Amino acid sequence: MVQQYQSPVRVYKYPFELVMAAYERRFPTCPQIPVFLGSEILHEFKSDDGAIHVKERRCKLNVDAPYILKKIAGVEVVYFIQKNSLDRRERTLKIEAHNESFASRVIVKENCLYSVHPENSEWTCFEQYASLDVKNFFGFESTVEKIAMKQYSQNIKKGKEIIEFFINDLRSNGVTYVPPWTPPKPVSPIEAKPPKKEPEPQASATVLSSPSSCDSITSSSSYHSANTAAQTPASPTVPDIPELPPDVRIASEDKLDADYIERFLGHLTPIQESYLIQLRKWIAESHKGQESGENSEVENDEDDSEEDEPLVPKDSHILRFLRARDFNLEEARKMLCNSLAWRKQHQVDLILDTWKPPTPLVDYFAGGWHYYDREGRPLFILRLGQMDVKGLLKACGEEAILRHILSVNEEGLRRCEEATKARGYPISTWTCVVDLEGLSMRHLWRPGVKALLRFIEVVEANYPETMGRLLIVRAPRVFPVLWTLVSPFIDENTRKKFLIYGGNDYLESGGLADYIDPEYIPDFLGGTCHCNMPEGGLVPKSLYQLLDNLSMNDGLPSLCQETIYQLSSVIKGAPHEVLVNIDDKDSVLTWDFDVLKGDVVFTVLRSRRPLAVPKDPPGAVGGPLNVQLLDKSMTVGVDVSVVETPLVCHEGESIQGSHVARYPGPYVLQWKFHNAPVSSSLPQAVKATLPDVFTHHKCKVMYYHEVLASDDFRGSMTSLQSSQSGFSSLSVGTTSSAQSNSSQSANSSCPSR
């Protein structure tokens, strides 16, 4: 497999000619590069006008390899062929090198380019590209790859230092300027007469005064003899100047400057820099390819706006994906490719401008951004213990909550970018403080944990390496249960950044004050700073009906493939029924529902006949569901049997329960309209004051159900006994639940008011 490496653009803040003078001082030997033992010139060519100068050298290197490897290979040194093509007219030096030793077993190619900075003609840029193909090396192929990567890294690191060293050496000798090449003037026979010899002027301290000291760099076109002009011999064929691979000849806007990397991205090894450049370039080329393909298909469509196109991610965000995959280029590319497709599908790039959180999130989501930590990271405070997660989930749905979480992450990326610019050093992560005071069993019910795991999965896949530190304070005794459930779904590198404090430990040494300036510690955590965010609290059940209005997601593709809670209509004469197929005996059917409007009668039935769900049930698109499964011809006791005693549930009640199935087969959860008796003798004025349930014939129910294996269920919905793993390891209700009595037909349903 061919390994490829590409360095960022190194910028020398010196003119091209001065850099070339310094470069030539590396030959024939260079004590600053211990592995470089020497070189000899194999071929040299100069054009008549002095613009082109080509040198081909044979270089001897002492590779830092294990003794046994050198012994097996039978060599102490290796040889490389280097071809330097200097074009003074274009102000470029192209370097092409390849290995001469073991060329049939290992192929090493290196291409370098010195050129003038595109935005400052007094600066010089350097680019380097290398490839390695180890075909066969006595069974030491992986060792050779490691040696080559190590050598490449060392060369990258030392290259700029050596040029700087020789530039300083030139300046110490009084050379601070080398004139650029200029075309020679035509020489007439009269002008060809030898000029009168005059005393040579004193060399200026700012001009290269000794052309012989770097003959191959300084211009030799300032003087031509008469013989040269008169004879004009046929010049030899100019050798081909090696072309750099396409991967190196990239547009200037696609290049990464080494100083930019250090300033905005942080310290990276040469190999890491190479992977960043390759991944960055792949994204840019893929984006351009998509644009050209789309333009060819819709070139007449003037309504398409650029806002619909996915934005190419910033370098800091690309680097996060590489770090998340330990700089495995292919794995990072796959992860990033999936994330970019996801961002385009759900228009995540526009979320900060377009997302308007629903009222319950604005008023009851107890979290917000709050200044910075001691290292300059943006700081986010989350009062999870004060948050009615169940209420938010039922009022907004996980779709809206997930979009809100995404907007928080997008805002975090923006704040990191601003902090990097303001503070003068790279900041790519943020700090989060999670206050768990108030965390109780009501937070640990199955649907909530299920939604939380989905949120973690989305964030881990699309916002890797964004959490710099997470401080969990005032963790109660129930926290280990939540941590056991959630931690397996969090990346290992992220888990290492968690610091957990129980009780008031966060106030002591090693607590919050070590990471956050005291002036920014929130007042509810013992500080003096006011934290401008909602305080949380219970979400009124009257807001639960907003879920009906949020079901269409404003025309955007749904982030959640399925919703945890379903909304249904129960109409007089048209009950709502849910089919649940039980595969194994003694499986546990659980339910959790809220009566949002009207009164209903809830029961559970088992059918002795196969049942099927209609393909297009009423209300399936954008509204509450209403499905009937049981045919009116079916007889209770013959075709169906009642396994749960009918329970009258009133408006505003929350019901949780479970049923242990004695037999496998189809089961039905049924909600019927409850006909409340109303006396006909009541005056009309009194009837007008009665609740809607007495005057309307439609109810609304929000429900969730799940089937658990008997081994994964212990007791009732409030059970927190340990079980296998994942979603089946928790079964929790928000307030109360009755007991599941026996292994036969134990069942329970209990209202919570």
Side-chain angles (χ1 to χ4, degrees), residues 485-717:
L485 295 172
V486 172
S487 59
F489 296 87
I490 301 175
D491 181 75
E492 182 180 357
N493 291 333
T494 304
R495 290 202 304 269
K496 294 177 181 177
K497 303 170 185 176
F498 282 46
L499 295 175
I500 303 172
Y501 302 90
N504 293 324
D505 292 348
Y506 69 95
L507 298 174
E508 300 175 1
S509 176
L512 285 186
D514 284 16
Y515 305 101
I516 305 171
D517 287 331
E519 60 179 313
Y520 296 139
I521 296 179
D523 48 11
F524 56 84
L525 291 177
T528 59
C529 186
H530 174 67
C531 201
N532 187 21
M533 67 175 65
E535 294 183 358
L538 292 176
V539 179
K541 289 189 177 182
S542 59
L543 297 179
Y544 287 6
Q545 298 185 50
L546 292 177
L547 183 63
D548 189 13
N549 301 324
L550 297 171
S551 58
M552 293 303 291
N553 303 323
D554 297 327
L556 296 175
S558 178
L559 287 162
C560 303
Q561 296 181 355
E562 60 179 15
T563 58
I564 292 179
Y565 281 95
Q566 302 287 337
L567 195 63
S568 66
S569 292
V570 180
I571 305 171
K572 188 173 183 179
H576 178 63
E577 297 169 339
V578 176
L579 175 63
V580 182
N581 287 307
I582 302 293
D583 296 326
D584 300 315
K585 177 185 176 182
D586 295 333
S587 295
V588 183
L589 172 58
T590 66
W591 55 83
D592 175 14
F593 65 89
D594 290 85
V595 184
L596 303 182
K597 181 180 179 182
D599 293 348
V600 298
V601 178
F602 171 74
T603 189
V604 181
L605 306 102
R606 182 176 71 87
S607 174
R608 294 184 174 90
R609 289 163 44 180
L611 298 176
V613 179
K615 291 184 179 179
D616 298 309
V621 180
L625 295 170
N626 183 261
V627 180
Q628 288 83 52
L629 301 171
L630 301 178
D631 193 282
K632 292 183 179 180
S633 63
M634 301 176 72
T635 305
V636 176
V638 178
D639 302 303
V640 296
S641 57
V642 177
V643 297
E644 283 285 338
T645 303
L647 176 68
V648 177
C649 308
H650 301 286
E651 181 175 320
E653 289 184 342
S654 295
I655 310 296
Q656 299 87 34
S658 61
H659 173 79
V660 179
R662 293 180 60 188
Y663 307 99
Y667 285 73
V668 175
L669 303 179
Q670 183 189 75
W671 291 269
K672 277 186 177 182
F673 183 87
H674 178 56
N675 291 305
V678 180
S679 176
S680 59
S681 62
L682 288 176
Q684 188 63 32
V686 175
K687 290 182 179 181
T689 63
L690 294 176
D692 289 344
V693 65
F694 293 101
T695 56
H696 291 81
H697 302 284
K698 185 177 181 180
C699 303
K700 284 186 179 179
V701 174
M702 184 185 300
Y703 65 92
Y704 159 82
H705 72 279
E706 184 175 5
V707 177
L708 304 174
S710 58
D711 291 340
D712 296 335
F713 185 85
R714 296 292 183 271
S716 67
M717 290 286 284

Side-chain angles (χ1 to χ4, degrees), residues 307-308 342-356 399-400 403-404 406 550-560:
E307 292 184 353
D308 294 333
W342 172 84
R343 294 180 71 89
K344 180 178 180 181
Q345 178 184 1
H346 301 289
Q347 301 183 21
V348 178
D349 291 316
L350 307 176
I351 198 167
L352 289 180
D353 299 324
T354 60
W355 169 244
K356 299 291 188 294
E399 177 79 20
R403 285 197 180 275
H404 193 63
L406 297 183
L550 297 171
S551 58
M552 293 303 291
N553 303 323
D554 297 327
L556 296 175
S558 178
L559 287 162
C560 303

